[in-house]
């Protein structure tokens, strides 16, 4: 299925969690307004200046695409048994 949100992709980061410990992305660029996230396995995500993902954080099922509004400089933390792909988007 194809989605067109009218947003421009800037760059993509791969965040890999070992399953039992969370991994964190680099800080988003100063002109990033939204991110597109998709995980290769079920997991949980958290957002913020210094986020820590846990099993009580926002759930993201495998292969589901989410578009999230984010503040410049924030990071994404992921815990799960796979990879989280974070694509920065600008309007």
């Amino acid at each position: 299925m194809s989605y067109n949100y009218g947003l421009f992709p800037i760059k993509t980061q791969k965040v890999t969690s070992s399953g039992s410990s969370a991994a964190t992305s680099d800080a988003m660029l100063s002109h990033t307004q939204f991110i597109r996230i998709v995980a290769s396995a079920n997991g949980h995500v958290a957002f913020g200046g210094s986020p820590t993902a846990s099993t009580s954080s926002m759930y993201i099922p495998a292969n589901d695409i989410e578009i999230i509004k984010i503040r410049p400089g924030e990071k994404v933390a992921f815990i799960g048994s796979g990879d989280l792909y974070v694509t920065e988007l600008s309007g």
Side-chain angles (χ1 to χ4, degrees), residues 74-90:
E74 286 190 329
K75 299 176 183 178
V76 181
F78 174 69
I79 189 165
S81 59
D83 299 318
L84 179 73
Y85 295 89
V86 181
T87 302
E88 297 182 48
L89 305 168
S90 180

Side-chain angles (χ1 to χ4, degrees), residues 29-42:
L29 299 172
S30 63
H31 53 279
T32 298
Q33 299 172 343
F34 295 90
I35 56 172
R36 174 189 181 267
I37 58 174
V38 62
S40 63
N42 297 339

Side-chain angles (χ1 to χ4, degrees), residues 18-70:
S18 66
S20 60
S21 62
T24 305
S25 71
D26 295 333
M28 300 301 123
L29 299 172
S30 63
H31 53 279
T32 298
Q33 299 172 343
F34 295 90
I35 56 172
R36 174 189 181 267
I37 58 174
V38 62
S40 63
N42 297 339
H44 299 267
V45 293
F47 310 94
S50 184
T52 302
S54 70
T55 55
S56 62
S57 299
M58 183 178 122
Y59 176 74
I60 182 165
N63 302 313
D64 269 11
I65 296 169
E66 295 281 348
I67 304 291
I68 308 285
K69 180 140 176 80
I70 198 162

